[in-house]
Amino acid sequence: MVFYSTRSVLNGVAIVSATICLLSFMSTAIAQTYPGKKPIRLIVPFAPGGGTDLIARLMTPKLAEALGATIVVDNRGGAGGTTGIETVVRASPDGYTMIFGAASYATNAALYKLPYDPVNDITPVSLACLSGYLVSVHPSVPAATIRELINYAKQKPRAINYGSSGIGGLAHLATELFGMMAGITLNHVPYKGTAPALTDLLGGQIQLVFGSVTATIPHARTNRLRGLAVTTASRLNQVPDVPTVAEALPGYEAILWYGVWGPKNLPAPIVARWNKEIDDLVRSADMKERMLKEGAEPAGGSPEVFKKTLQKDIVTWTKVAKQAGLAQQAFQP
């Protein structure tokens, strides 16, 4: 039996109260001094020119103005985005190293035994926007629709090389899911980002790319590429004449989201500040209009909503990877 004296209990209460007061004071101090004059590095884990980079650079000037800080966009492409992600995971949780990433973050977790926990080693901050892929082919491919593409691939097995932003990226698994559901075989050519994949598609070195709408629409509009379908559940307002993949393959869907997160243990006041500024920005009429023109739908929402999105996607794409015979393997950068 353990006995507690009144004095010890009161001392314990005093210590807890003092700790709470200290943490409250520290949070207030952080909120008041952040970000100060120190520049913030915003990692984009892909090469310049891709969808993630385009949306990040679209938002960064307004975010910098709202935060009263200098934000430097730092492209760290490679390994399906994992090179840049590791930079943030191992950074000090002080709010000066953040990341603007995409849904391929979840597919990396599906394919690899990563050197970090994809859920518990980061601090989700906010979703920025949602979009999908525009399934595009080089004009030399004799297909004007998804059904014609499928028929061509069946007639000429392995004749189609497709590019993606890297092994384990969402574009990779989204294309694998398409091939599985269509019953066709496609050859994967991984790149360090969407931009270099699109460059080779424009040059005819590869025949197919599931490219972000933001990066691919301009080429489709000038007929340098042929856009066949979008991977969202319903047609996009930006390209209402372009059907969904699901119209040819019922049940198919691949959503591309963009969001901001930071290292594990990022202080709550910093999370709240970023979350508020992102939410306010994506809900503004000007940014909403600009995002819609780029084929993206503004999102926002709480850190908790973002975390649930991450967890759900990891489960979904892990199943797809297993069904495609892509066993989880040790990560090799």
Side-chain angles (χ1 to χ4, degrees):
M1 183 176 294
V2 179
F3 296 92
Y4 298 94
S5 67
T6 302
R7 177 175 294 179
S8 65
V9 172
L10 290 176
N11 286 340
V13 171
I15 291 172
V16 171
S17 298
T19 301
I20 293 173
C21 288
L22 177 60
L23 291 175
S24 177
F25 173 78
M26 291 174 64
S27 294
T28 301
I30 291 173
Q32 291 176 342
T33 59
Y34 180 84
K37 296 182 179 180
K38 186 176 179 179
I40 297 170
R41 182 168 58 150
L42 184 65
I43 301 291
V44 173
F46 300 105
T52 309
D53 182 64
L54 290 173
I55 295 294
R57 292 179 186 277
L58 178 66
M59 294 180 61
T60 296
K62 292 291 186 180
L63 272 178
E65 181 180 344
L67 290 168
T70 298
I71 299 180
V72 179
V73 176
D74 185 359
N75 293 89
R76 292 290 183 95
T82 305
T83 300
I85 291 166
E86 275 202 273
T87 300
V88 179
V89 167
R90 305 190 188 291
S92 174
D94 54 13
Y96 292 101
T97 302
M98 305 290 284
I99 190 167
F100 192 95
S104 57
Y105 182 79
T107 57
N108 281 334
L111 283 182
Y112 298 108
K113 297 176 182 178
L114 298 168
Y116 53 83
D117 186 311
V119 175
N120 297 315
D121 282 348
I122 66 166
T123 303
V125 173
S126 178
L127 285 167
C129 57
L130 306 174
S131 186
Y133 289 118
L134 181 62
V135 182
S136 299
V137 296
H138 186 265
S140 64
V141 176
T145 67
I146 284 293
R147 181 53 59 189
E148 289 179 359
L149 175 65
I150 293 172
N151 291 337
Y152 175 70
K154 286 182 176 180
Q155 292 168 6
K156 294 191 175 183
R158 295 192 176 278
I160 296 178
N161 298 309
Y162 77 89
S164 80
S165 55
I167 297 174
L170 179 59
H172 177 201
L173 284 191
T175 313
E176 285 296 317
L177 176 60
F178 168 70
M180 288 166 48
M181 293 182 66
I184 58 177
T185 301
L186 304 169
N187 305 313
H188 183 212
V189 182
Y191 292 83
K192 289 187 177 182
T194 301
L198 283 176
T199 297
D200 274 8
L201 180 62
L202 290 166
Q205 282 80 23
I206 56 176
Q207 292 73 46
L208 171 70
V209 163
F210 278 46
S212 65
V213 175
T214 55
T216 313
I217 278 181
H219 302 299
R221 286 174 175 165
T222 57
N223 297 317
R224 298 183 66 196
L225 300 176
R226 188 181 302 124
L228 305 185
V230 292
T231 63
T232 45
S234 57
R235 295 192 182 195
L236 294 173
N237 292 328
Q238 297 71 31
V239 283
D241 295 333
V242 178
T244 64
V245 175
E247 290 177 44
L249 291 176
Y252 181 90
E253 182 181 16
I255 301 298
L256 176 60
W257 51 256
Y258 300 96
V260 175
W261 65 90
K264 181 180 179 180
N265 297 324
L266 194 64
I270 294 178
V271 175
R273 178 73 186 281
W274 273 83
N275 180 268
K276 177 185 181 301
E277 301 302 351
I278 291 172
D279 202 61
D280 288 348
L281 177 59
V282 300
R283 293 178 189 277
S284 68
D286 176 61
M287 185 56 62
K288 183 175 181 179
E289 181 180 359
R290 295 176 70 183
M291 282 186 169
L292 288 173
K293 286 182 179 179
E294 296 292 346
E297 184 73 27
S302 68
E304 290 72 29
V305 167
F306 190 10
K307 184 175 183 178
K308 288 180 180 179
T309 299
L310 286 175
Q311 292 171 322
K312 179 183 177 182
D313 272 15
I314 289 172
V315 171
T316 297
W317 292 113
T318 297
K319 290 180 179 178
V320 171
K322 288 181 179 179
Q323 290 173 0
L326 301 171
Q328 193 177 57
Q329 54 189 291
F331 176 71
Q332 295 182 348

